[in-house]
Amino acid sequence: MAKQFTTISSRFVPLNIENVDTDQIIPARFLKGTTRDGFGKNLFRDWRYENDDETKPKADFVLNQPQYAGEILVAAKNFGCGSSREHAAWAIADSGFRVVVSSFFADIFKNNALNNGLLPVTVSENFLQKIFAQGNTATVTVNLVEQKITIDATGESETFDINDYKKTCMLNGYDDIDYLLSIKEDIVNYENTLV
Amino acid sequence: MAKTLFEKIWDKHVIKTIDGGPSVLYIDTHFIHEVTTPQAFNGMNKRGIKVFRPKQTVATADHNVPTINQHLPIKEELGRKQVEALIKNCAEHGVELYGLGRPYQGIVHVIGPELGITQPGMTIVCGDSHTSTHGAFGAIAFGIGTSEVEMVLSTQCVLQSKPKLMRINVEGILNKGVVSKDIVLYILSKISASGATGYAVEFAGSAIRSLSMEARMTICNMSIEMGGRCGLIAADETTFNYIKGREFAPKGEAWDTALAYWKTLHSDNDAAFDKEYNFDAADIQPMITYGTNPGMGIGVTENIPTVETINETDKSGLGKSLAYMGLKQGVAIKGQKIDYVFIGSCTNSRIEDLRMVAGFVKGKQKASDVEVWIVPGSKQVEKQAIEEGIDKIFEAAGFMLRQPGCSACLGMNEDKIPAGKYCISTSNRNFEGRQGAGARTLLASPLTAAAAAITGVVTDVREMLN
């Protein structure tokens, strides 16, 4: 059972880079866990540290800049492209993020995020740039019930899409496996039509 | 009503559609490997449930395996634990595992087709984005995350929203020295690394039809690099001839029944697509990437773009990409020094790829300062290569023929490209750090990679062909 999600108001971490692929979010050499926990410490590993050395954080990377914090990650378009590794969603969630905002998400990442209580919010390019233009103390409110994202300082807002089923799951912390297990009879009936 | 190939397969596999939500899609075949399954099995064990349809589940170990001395235990502890977990989970759940030391072991997207498990009209998933490879047989095949792996293991179903439909037509005859990898890198350079996001992509046209099954797999393999949910090519005689007689292909009467059905699996003449692209095969030359996403490719004789000449999609990322790659705007890529050549991965590690490389390098020697790794996609490919004497050709050329696995495609196992080094690679991703932290990847066809192995620099292979 995932965490329930209704509304979050938070500062945000701006990652104004396009085409962030899942190999950047978490490099393959850190996919060796057999549980879902602990991936956060390697989030954006090679952008965060010089020469893979945790004692040498790169000062120019946002996750190393103390002025940025919050439960919302804001990224430029085509976020999460590449590998299907769910570890990318785990690493982001494990780092304390509950929402990722972008103007465009890769398909598999979006599903993986939704399956882990991490809400992907797709906004227009224009609105995305407005968020990036905010200062580091600005907050953003994401209201899943109303499917609305608001820049709190200016009151500017936009609605976002999420299918009703996934919305219900996120609001209640349900997961897809519970649902699929509940319709097993339908699945068996379907299989019987195949032979 | 006229239907596309995708719709024919999709409609047949939808058990129900949730109001305002996704569809419950039945999965015929589920491939699994060691990296994206342990958490799924853990989840099932917690719920106290077993794999629902173990006979429709096929496992192999590929991502973490070493490609030398496979008879020895895996040295790297965490990787070894994942492989051991797979062995244990498969045994407990009754799933067939083609693991290390078994004659059918190999990269999951190589063994499925070569064993005849992958067939037209199927729905196929795997916790690996390059599952799109199997679409070359006229199947709906796509990568899923670990939560979805758990869904399929538990119920043989996954929840999916129907994607939009795209068709990419490539008509005409390919130029000398141009192979299927060049076609897909060319399409990527035109539509970008996100050009097909949200779409199922059907590849069609005379240039696609002319390709062998293995060449078609290379194209569908990289449909995910365009962001595509999956890639498909309608099955035809080439497909049927490839499947017939393989280990798990239907036999006898079952073959005739299957064949009759498979022949109906094509897009109807007046079927509608949401988006359609047309390309001319004659415009395609040997391709190579210069940047850090697979859409950043150019013809091998072209110059690296400048911020003025590059497409809008990659404009903002060009500076960062080229800084990582140590390359400059506006200069020729041809002649760029390379340090490593990697011929392998689920994109280009099949017997035809190895034959293509062997045919080209026979009697030639690799450049002295280049390291060349040839990694077959499976034990069967390796065996075939040895039977054909291809191993001897590689040995004479100074190439190293390694053992099957994902190898240097993804910087996960022991095979990594050192930081700062240039690797011309037949794999599928040139992301930062993909082949190892700091490694610089240039994606190309097996032929272009082989040419670079001989000369030590990025080369127009056409100048070396008779």
Side-chain angles (χ1 to χ4, degrees):
Chain A
M1 180 129 165
K3 265 191 212 166
Q4 296 177 356
F5 190 113
T6 47
T7 293
I8 278 178
S9 289
S10 167
R11 289 166 62 202
F12 62 91
V13 177
L15 183 68
N16 196 352
I17 300 173
E18 293 178 359
N19 296 312
V20 173
D21 59 77
T22 53
D23 276 84
Q24 306 319 312
I25 299 173
I26 184 152
R29 61 187 189 279
F30 301 112
L31 306 185
K32 298 185 191 242
T34 51
T35 68
R36 291 172 186 240
D37 308 317
F39 291 101
K41 70 176 165 42
N42 294 316
L43 177 68
F44 294 112
R45 175 82 186 198
D46 291 334
W47 284 353
R48 247 161 108 180
Y49 305 113
E50 291 292 350
N51 303 321
D52 208 8
D53 184 345
E54 284 170 46
T55 65
K56 292 181 188 158
K58 292 182 184 176
D60 60 351
F61 188 60
V62 284
L63 287 184
N64 295 329
Q65 297 173 335
Q67 68 268 36
Y68 296 111
E71 294 178 290
I72 301 173
L73 179 67
V74 183
K77 72 177 178 222
N78 200 26
F79 186 81
C81 58
S83 156
S84 62
R85 58 189 71 164
E86 193 161 316
H87 313 65
W90 298 336
I92 294 171
D94 192 45
S95 299
F97 293 107
R98 305 283 317 271
V99 178
V100 186
V101 179
S102 177
S103 54
F104 197 88
F105 286 97
D107 280 341
I108 305 179
F109 175 80
K110 198 196 239 172
N111 278 347
N112 287 342
L114 285 165
N115 284 333
N116 287 280
L118 177 69
L119 181 67
V121 173
T122 307
V123 296
S124 68
E125 193 59 44
N126 185 32
F127 194 78
L128 184 74
Q129 294 311 322
K130 282 182 182 166
I131 302 176
F132 280 135
Q134 300 298 308
N136 59 40
T137 56
T139 58
V140 168
T141 297
V142 175
N143 183 326
L144 178 57
V145 182
E146 294 176 16
Q147 295 177 224
K148 197 164 99 173
I149 175 166
T150 307
I151 300 170
D152 296 326
T154 65
E156 289 168 286
S157 70
E158 211 173 77
T159 55
F160 60 87
D161 284 336
I162 179 170
N163 72 53
D164 292 346
Y165 167 81
K166 273 292 171 196
K167 182 176 174 178
T168 307
C169 288
M170 289 282 291
L171 289 172
N172 297 293
Y174 295 159
D175 79 28
D176 290 347
I177 299 170
D178 296 329
Y179 170 76
L180 286 170
L181 288 171
S182 77
I183 61 156
K184 219 153 182 183
E185 201 180 316
D186 293 339
I187 298 170
V188 173
N189 288 340
Y190 170 84
E191 286 181 322
N192 290 335
T193 67
L194 298 177
V195 275
Chain B
M1 201 189 106
K3 281 186 177 183
T4 64
L5 167 61
F6 179 89
E7 289 168 312
K8 287 179 184 177
I9 306 169
W10 175 269
D11 291 350
K12 197 166 188 282
H13 288 83
V14 169
I15 295 180
K16 64 195 283 186
T17 297
I18 301 167
D19 282 344
S23 295
V24 177
L25 189 71
Y26 188 79
I27 300 303
D28 294 315
T29 299
H30 185 195
F31 292 105
I32 63 172
H33 63 81
E34 77 277 17
V35 179
T36 56
T37 53
Q39 294 86 354
F41 280 110
N42 289 349
M44 295 176 69
N45 292 340
K46 267 188 206 154
R47 290 174 200 256
I49 49 179
K50 291 281 176 199
V51 172
F52 182 52
R53 294 291 179 246
K55 292 211 165 4
Q56 287 165 249
T57 312
V58 179
T60 192
D62 54 5
H63 284 63
N64 267 317
V65 304
T67 59
I68 46 172
N69 294 325
Q70 285 186 344
H71 61 289
L72 299 176
I74 299 173
K75 279 187 247 165
E76 202 274 320
E77 189 194 350
L78 293 172
R80 188 177 68 243
K81 281 189 172 158
Q82 279 190 335
V83 173
E84 287 167 356
L86 182 69
I87 294 169
K88 180 172 165 282
N89 287 326
C90 286
E92 284 176 8
H93 289 262
V95 171
E96 184 76 54
L97 168 65
Y98 299 115
L100 275 180
R102 297 278 303 273
Y104 294 154
Q105 180 266 335
I107 304 174
V108 62
H109 311 308
V110 175
I111 69 167
E114 80 182 1
L115 290 173
I117 296 170
T118 302
Q119 294 168 19
M122 279 184 165
T123 47
I124 297 171
V125 294
C126 174
D128 189 286
S129 60
H130 291 109
T131 308
S132 58
T133 311
H134 306 263
F137 290 79
I140 293 181
F142 55 93
I144 55 177
T146 298
S147 295
E148 293 167 314
V149 168
E150 189 176 339
M151 290 175 214
V152 182
L153 289 173
S154 308
T155 67
Q156 206 58 32
C157 288
V158 67
L159 293 172
Q160 284 290 303
S161 297
K162 187 178 170 186
K164 291 181 282 183
L165 304 174
M166 177 186 289
R167 181 159 61 187
I168 298 178
N169 302 295
V170 187
E171 297 287 351
I173 295 170
L174 292 172
N175 293 311
K176 186 177 77 169
V178 174
V179 296
S180 71
K181 182 64 162 287
D182 300 305
I183 300 177
V184 74
L185 287 174
Y186 177 83
I187 295 170
L188 269 156
S189 76
K190 295 295 175 191
I191 75 168
S192 91
S194 57
T197 302
Y199 291 90
V201 184
E202 181 174 344
F203 297 95
S206 56
I208 302 291
R209 299 240 77 82
S210 74
L211 299 173
S212 71
M213 259 344 282
E214 297 195 353
R216 293 179 190 184
M217 285 188 242
T218 302
I219 295 196
C220 286
N221 173 276
M222 290 190 74
S223 51
I224 182 64
E225 309 315 334
M226 307 163 195
R229 197 72 189 90
C230 62
L232 308 86
I233 296 172
D236 59 10
E237 290 303 321
T238 303
T239 323
F240 310 143
N241 291 335
Y242 177 94
I243 298 171
K244 195 167 190 179
R246 289 183 185 266
E247 180 83 23
F248 296 100
K251 308 269 173 356
E253 219 172 285
W255 170 263
D256 297 333
T257 311
L259 190 62
Y261 170 56
W262 295 347
K263 285 183 173 172
T264 67
L265 296 174
H266 51 78
S267 291
D268 296 329
N269 283 336
D270 44 355
F273 289 84
D274 299 294
K275 200 164 194 174
E276 197 146 8
Y277 287 102
N278 293 290
F279 297 109
D280 186 345
D283 292 339
I284 307 174
Q285 56 162 310
M287 295 289 295
I288 191 152
T289 65
Y290 58 87
T292 53
N293 76 56
M296 300 173 97
I298 48 175
V300 72
T301 57
E302 291 172 0
N303 290 348
I304 295 169
T306 65
V307 280
E308 288 79 28
T309 62
I310 197 169
N311 60 48
E312 278 305 313
T313 318
D314 289 316
K315 191 173 288 221
S316 76
L318 183 66
K320 185 175 188 299
S321 268
L322 292 182
Y324 179 85
M325 291 298 293
L327 297 173
K328 290 192 174 62
Q329 295 182 31
V331 304
I333 189 90
K334 198 177 144 190
Q336 168 63 42
K337 175 81 189 72
I338 52 127
D339 307 293
Y340 284 79
V341 176
F342 171 59
I343 294 172
S345 86
C346 56
T347 315
N348 281 120
S349 65
R350 297 180 179 83
I351 191 66
E352 285 180 13
D353 298 313
L354 268 51
R355 282 184 194 137
M356 190 195 305
V357 173
F360 177 79
V361 304
K362 191 170 187 179
K364 298 186 180 77
Q365 270 291 319
K366 77 168 182 76
S368 57
D369 51 355
V370 172
E371 190 153 343
V372 186
W373 294 345
I374 312 270
V375 184
S378 70
K379 289 304 281 182
Q380 294 209 95
V381 171
E382 179 188 44
K383 184 166 165 266
Q384 180 80 23
I386 292 167
E387 278 170 16
E388 293 181 19
I390 287 173
D391 58 330
K392 297 284 185 300
I393 296 172
F394 290 154
E395 197 184 333
F399 292 10
M400 186 180 189
L401 179 64
R402 300 172 73 99
Q403 292 171 303
C406 295
S407 186
C409 172
L410 86 165
M412 173 157 202
N413 48 66
E414 294 166 11
D415 303 349
K416 294 187 183 75
I417 307 302
K421 297 294 183 189
Y422 289 93
C423 178
I424 189 161
S425 175
T426 67
S427 55
N428 39 58
R429 290 187 174 137
N430 50 354
F431 297 151
E432 288 183 30
R434 173 76 180 182
Q435 295 193 286
R440 292 158 163 171
T441 303
L442 306 165
L443 300 176
S445 77
L447 214 44
T448 295
I454 304 302
T455 60
V457 296
V458 173
T459 299
D460 183 351
V461 68
R462 293 170 295 188
E463 293 169 4
M464 296 173 77
L465 296 171
N466 298 324

